[in-house]
Amino acid sequence: MQPAYVVPDGVAWVVDEDGGPTGPAVYLTRVRAGLPIALEGPAAQIWDAARSMPEDEITAEVALATGQTTDTVRDSVESFLRELLRRGLLQVREPDEGAVDR
């Protein structure tokens, strides 16, 4: 079973739908740390998708959006998700946590 993710308490975000040439942008911050992070393009797409779907579906969505195969993007998606977890910007959803973040 693929992991699903949630945004941990203390993380705030805003999605800028206008974004830029690579599409919508996401601005996140760990509120107590106060250091904003800007994500654009596939990075924004991965973070946003992680709030509503399991990892294998995120990989498929990024592959479709970028015109690549899932095998081509899988390592990059998994690596970026691990980095988001390491930074405390996502956490793995426990199986009994219910509905997805929206």
Side-chain angles (χ1 to χ4, degrees), residues 22-86:
T22 58
V26 176
Y27 301 94
L28 329 160
T29 189
R30 289 180 50 215
V31 176
R32 291 183 188 243
L35 302 172
I37 297 165
L39 303 176
E40 297 177 332
Q45 183 180 18
I46 292 167
W47 186 86
D48 193 46
R51 297 181 306 113
S52 62
M53 61 186 65
E55 192 172 295
D56 58 340
E57 291 178 31
I58 298 166
T59 301
E61 184 169 301
V62 170
L64 182 63
T66 60
Q68 300 180 58
T69 67
T70 54
D71 288 339
T72 302
V73 300
R74 181 173 286 111
D75 287 344
S76 296
V77 169
E78 290 173 358
S79 175
F80 189 65
L81 288 167
R82 283 192 305 271
E83 180 64 16
L84 291 170
L85 291 167
R86 186 189 71 73

